Amino acid sequence: EAPPAERPAIILGDGEESRRAGIDAARIPVEGFVVKTAANRVFLVGSTRALPAMEVGNLAGNPYANDGTAWALADFLERFVGVRWYWPVVAGGRSVIARATLTVPPAHYSDQPVFRKREFYPWHGYTQDSWRAIWWDKEGPRLPESLLPEGTEKIEMQPLLAGLRAGSSWPYVIKVHEPQHFAREPQKWADHPDMFQRNEDGTPNLRMLCYSSQKALDYLLQGCVDSWDNGKPVSWVTTTCVTVSPGDYRVHCHCEACAPLFEPDRAPYGTASKVMGLFVKRMCEEVKRRWPGKAVLYLPYWNYTDCPEEIEFPDNLQIQMCTMAFGLMRQPEARGRMERSLRAWSRKVGGPVTTWEYSHRLPEWTCAPVQYPHLVQDYYRANRDVLAGSFLNGGMIGEWSAAAPTDYVWMKVLWNPDVDVDAILDALCTRLFGKASATSREFLRLAADRWEKAPWPQGLGDAGKVDPPVFAATWPPEVVTRLTQLRDQARAEIGDDALSRRRFDYLTWTFDGFLKEAAGVAAAAQPE
């Protein structure tokens, strides 16, 4: 119930008073909002457009929702209250400018996300096992517990992601690598060998379906019957689509039907594209015939990422394509190949596609200060005509600490790819690092310049492991020295400002590990 007209109030959501103020929530685009002031009133109203009924979330944990009013509130807090969420709140990542009063000038504006899928995993947060710099090295550098409040056992991500408007209203939710229960029941499924991929010796691989098998197709379609016709939950079917997503391995079946379709000359991303493409086409045809209005959601990945342009698909195909480690998109050839596939798939579906991006693959391989915020923006600006958004696959805490400036920009770009990246980073340093704002900004600028622009003697593979020649070219001794000087200078400038020191140390906690890596690379390069 709205308070009396003479009492100032912030009115959240669609209601009688906001309608009298001229805001029609049903006409606001999905996930969009309107902010409008009136005498003693601020109205924050999000879209109420109906979405398909879906009681499902994906790995990002986001309920499929039209969250416009939540985004109106987040925008209001940023624009008028001066709040920012740069990294997890428990680690000092929320910045609030203290003020005694709040004055809201006359305003009337609307906004909506450019990309409807803006998801990050792990949405639930990072337990202590994830507080290490290198994912495979449990004995390596760990985030110091002194940088967190005493007793912290988990770094929560929900407050950060809500403030950054992470969400999804895209109606097709991937059920990745489903179904995947076969290998857990080997005795049951060993009696159905013709459903499964054949190893080179002829034995069945119960981790992978055979995608030329009629029985495999029938099995996936039976899931549609169970879910759409009989209301029985099935792991690979949602209310809007059925997912086709092989197990987390390369597709290479040696059966008589698959073997002739395997194309070694299309390595590494297309050797099984024809195998999968023909299966997905059959799936689309059956779904369209039996369930008009439902879609087939396909996850091109591994050695079936490339679009088989020679195959024509029905109009009920949807795509969420996996790309390579995102920071490697600075390589023109690698990025070009990914973008050609994206555009080819977009042509096949007759509209935008979504992507599965790997935000973790560089921060988990090295302690170095890897930053590539301008690369993120350039990619989404260049491909906004074919993208509906992305799922960001995270891992260890490094990406939301040492690499947090890039991930922060990434989330802002997914809302609006035309943001001013350098202004964002300027404000980040000013707000978080006190008297060391200028020095910390120079540190971030140099880190980004090196990863985004340094000449490389060779390319890097899909996983994102930084090989010694690329490490040496990106961070030669003089750059390591300068980064070290900036790190030390910033810490000296911060002085006894405890909050700024904790924040800067959180940003740079892997830096000593980087110095050890640099020393190791330099030593290995010396002649014996």
Side-chain angles (χ1 to χ4, degrees), residues 94-95 116 162 166 228 260 288 402 438:
R94 181 175 57 200
S95 168
R116 285 175 59 179
W228 293 333
K288 183 172 183 176

Coordinates of all heavy atoms in Angstrom, one line a residue, residues 94-95 116 162 166 228 260 288 402 438:
R94 N 31.9 -4.8 -2.7 CA 30.8 -3.8 -2.8 C 31.3 -2.4 -2.4 O 31.8 -2.3 -1.3 CB 29.6 -4.2 -2.0 CG 28.4 -3.3 -2.1 CD 27.2 -3.8 -1.4 NE 27.4 -4.1 0.0 CZ 26.7 -4.9 0.8 NH1 25.7 -5.5 0.3 NH2 27.0 -5.1 2.0
S95 N 31.0 -1.4 -3.2 CA 31.4 -0.1 -2.9 C 30.2 0.8 -2.7 O 29.4 0.9 -3.6 CB 32.3 0.5 -4.0 OG 32.5 1.9 -3.9
R116 N 19.8 -11.5 -23.6 CA 18.9 -12.1 -22.6 C 19.4 -13.2 -21.8 O 18.8 -13.6 -20.8 CB 17.6 -12.5 -23.4 CG 16.7 -11.3 -23.8 CD 15.5 -11.8 -24.6 NE 14.6 -12.7 -23.9 CZ 13.5 -13.1 -24.4 NH1 13.2 -12.8 -25.6 NH2 12.8 -14.0 -23.7
A162 N 23.3 -10.6 -8.4 CA 22.1 -9.9 -8.4 C 22.4 -8.4 -8.8 O 21.7 -7.8 -9.6 CB 21.4 -10.0 -7.1
A166 N 22.8 -10.5 -13.4 CA 23.0 -11.8 -14.0 C 21.6 -12.5 -14.0 O 20.9 -12.6 -13.0 CB 24.0 -12.7 -13.3
W228 N 6.6 -34.3 -22.1 CA 5.6 -33.4 -22.7 C 4.2 -34.1 -22.7 O 3.2 -33.4 -22.7 CB 6.0 -33.0 -24.1 CG 7.2 -32.2 -24.1 CD1 7.6 -31.3 -23.1 CD2 8.2 -32.1 -25.1 NE1 8.8 -30.7 -23.5 CE2 9.2 -31.1 -24.7 CE3 8.4 -32.7 -26.4 CZ2 10.3 -30.7 -25.5 CZ3 9.4 -32.3 -27.2 CH2 10.4 -31.4 -26.7
P260 N 32.0 -43.8 -41.6 CA 32.2 -43.1 -42.9 C 31.9 -41.6 -42.8 O 32.3 -40.9 -43.7 CB 31.1 -43.8 -43.8 CG 30.8 -45.1 -43.2 CD 31.0 -44.9 -41.7
K288 N 9.4 -31.9 -34.5 CA 8.4 -31.0 -35.2 C 7.2 -31.7 -35.6 O 6.1 -31.2 -35.5 CB 9.1 -30.4 -36.4 CG 8.2 -29.4 -37.2 CD 9.0 -28.6 -38.2 CE 8.1 -27.6 -38.9 NZ 8.8 -26.8 -39.9
A402 N 41.8 -12.1 -8.8 CA 42.9 -11.6 -9.6 C 42.4 -11.1 -11.0 O 42.9 -10.2 -11.6 CB 44.0 -12.6 -9.8
A438 N 45.5 5.9 -8.7 CA 46.2 6.1 -10.0 C 47.2 5.0 -10.2 O 47.3 4.5 -11.4 CB 46.9 7.5 -9.9

